[in-house]
Amino acid sequence: MKSHKIASLSLATLLLGIQPLWDFTAAECFCMQKFSLQEQTFVHPWKGKRVAFLGDSITDKCRIGTEKCYWEYLAEWLNINPLVYAINGRQWDDIPRQASQLKEEIGNEVDAIIIFIGTNDYNAGIPLGEWWSIETKRVEEAHGEPKQTVERAHRVFNKDNTFKGRINQGLCTLKKLYPDKQIVLLTPIHRAFAAFGDNNIQPDENYMNVCGHFIDDYINAIKEAGNLWAMPVIDLNSLSGLYPLEDGQTHYFHNERTDRLHPGKEGHKRIAKTLLYQLVSLPCVFD
């Protein structure tokens, strides 16, 4: 009876996100990919799945600033098959191209798609823009009386070259290419000073960009996009705990003096561990 109570508490701890009194590591809980509770077995919903990763340098297969990327940890822990299309330096306007390349090369043989991009749009000073354009249209309606045609304000997604327009274009493309797939948005992590030569010096996030916006505005836009396009958002900006503006966290990043933008190996591991736990609450497939 005592062992049954302990096992039950362990399951409740995992599913409800309660911190246990004992220290179970991610490896102990998930690297085995399952544990038994009497006749029931819990299996991580993303175990063994084919997952596409779209984004920028932090996800790039070239491993910018790290020896091992977060998706490689997930592949090790969950036995996922990562399909990586992210490219260093890219912004949200590249997502339609990455998605189209995925469709051309893989077709529908992908279970879920994760998008981790946006920090370069902030650095480049891409205007935020608006989600919608409002127009007046005539529409037929009836509310307990004979139908009639009336004029109503009608909104249309903007797909211009602003940040929100780029997100609309990218997510519209993905919804059309993969209407039945799980698509997850990740917010960019915090960023600090980075210098990659005299022609590429990037101030920390406490400075406004050339459009007069802080990175928080871009983070919030991605969160809003989750509601607008019915896609779950994992807020790595807060949940990962990565904060390169604090000197005590520089070991999580590539270089203390010249690159507090790209996570190092330990930073990627922390991102991966955050995703490991967050993804347990999301279905990977809807079969």
Side-chain angles (χ1 to χ4, degrees):
M1 177 64 71
K2 183 177 180 181
S3 62
H4 172 71
K5 288 182 178 179
I6 292 175
S8 298
L9 183 57
S10 299
L11 180 59
T13 296
L14 174 66
L15 296 180
L16 299 179
I18 302 171
Q19 179 65 38
L21 297 178
W22 52 91
D23 185 19
F24 281 133
T25 66
E28 289 170 329
C29 287
F30 287 114
C31 284
M32 295 181 294
Q33 299 164 8
K34 64 181 180 180
F35 63 87
S36 295
L37 176 60
Q38 290 186 338
E39 305 254 334
Q40 302 178 25
T41 299
F42 175 82
V43 180
H44 196 293
W46 292 62
K47 173 193 171 186
K49 303 302 184 183
R50 290 167 60 86
V51 183
F53 293 87
L54 313 183
D56 53 32
S57 57
I58 295 180
T59 308
D60 195 318
K61 288 185 289 188
C62 293
R63 302 184 184 89
I64 310 299
T66 185
E67 302 168 14
K68 191 172 185 178
C69 287
Y70 68 91
W71 47 265
E72 292 178 284
Y73 285 106
L74 293 176
E76 179 182 312
W77 297 338
L78 293 177
N79 195 34
I80 65 168
N81 180 4
L83 308 166
V84 181
Y85 287 84
I87 297 180
N88 180 25
R90 297 306 169 94
Q91 302 170 17
W92 259 100
D93 62 345
D94 195 51
I95 291 301
R97 187 201 61 79
Q98 294 182 28
S100 297
Q101 184 181 356
L102 170 68
K103 185 71 172 184
E104 180 180 344
E105 296 180 359
I106 305 299
N108 287 322
E109 297 304 309
V110 60
D111 294 307
I113 300 167
I114 292 177
I115 307 171
F116 189 13
I117 199 167
T119 195
N120 292 319
D121 298 79
Y122 155 76
N123 182 63
I126 302 302
L128 278 179
E130 300 293 339
W131 293 116
W132 313 96
S133 293
I134 305 296
E135 59 186 11
T136 300
K137 294 187 70 173
R138 296 185 64 80
V139 63
E140 199 174 73
E141 68 172 23
H143 303 286
E145 297 177 355
K147 66 181 181 180
Q148 58 181 335
T149 300
V150 297
E151 287 191 348
R152 289 283 186 267
H154 176 261
R155 63 186 188 180
V156 180
F157 273 122
N158 284 328
K159 295 180 182 177
D160 53 18
N161 199 37
T162 64
F163 188 62
K164 292 178 180 178
R166 288 176 168 191
I167 293 176
N168 283 338
Q169 183 62 56
L171 300 188
C172 179
T173 299
L174 281 160
K175 281 289 191 182
K176 288 180 178 178
L177 293 177
Y178 293 105
D180 300 320
K181 303 298 182 182
Q182 177 69 282
I183 302 173
V184 180
L185 305 177
L186 310 182
T187 59
I189 59 175
H190 286 271
R191 52 180 292 151
F193 177 79
F196 307 111
D198 291 340
N199 295 324
N200 190 357
I201 299 175
Q202 304 181 23
D204 68 52
E205 64 180 44
N206 287 328
Y207 291 91
M208 280 185 171
N209 63 13
V210 295
C211 285
H213 293 292
F214 291 107
I215 194 170
D216 313 65
D217 298 319
Y218 297 81
I219 305 273
N220 290 332
I222 293 173
K223 294 178 185 178
E224 292 173 7
N227 284 326
L228 293 176
W229 287 96
M231 295 180 182
V233 179
I234 297 178
D235 188 12
L236 286 183
N237 188 258
S238 65
L239 295 174
S240 71
L242 292 171
Y243 193 70
L245 292 94
E246 171 55 52
D247 290 343
Q249 282 212 353
T250 55
H251 63 287
Y252 285 120
F253 290 84
H254 177 218
N255 188 287
E256 178 180 1
R257 293 185 303 103
T258 63
D259 186 6
R260 296 194 189 189
L261 172 63
H262 297 106
K265 184 177 179 181
E266 289 304 310
H268 274 271
K269 187 174 183 180
R270 186 158 178 157
I271 290 172
K273 192 170 285 191
T274 302
L275 292 175
L276 181 72
Y277 281 89
Q278 292 297 308
L279 291 173
V280 78
S281 67
L282 293 174
C284 185
V285 295
F286 296 94
D287 296 340

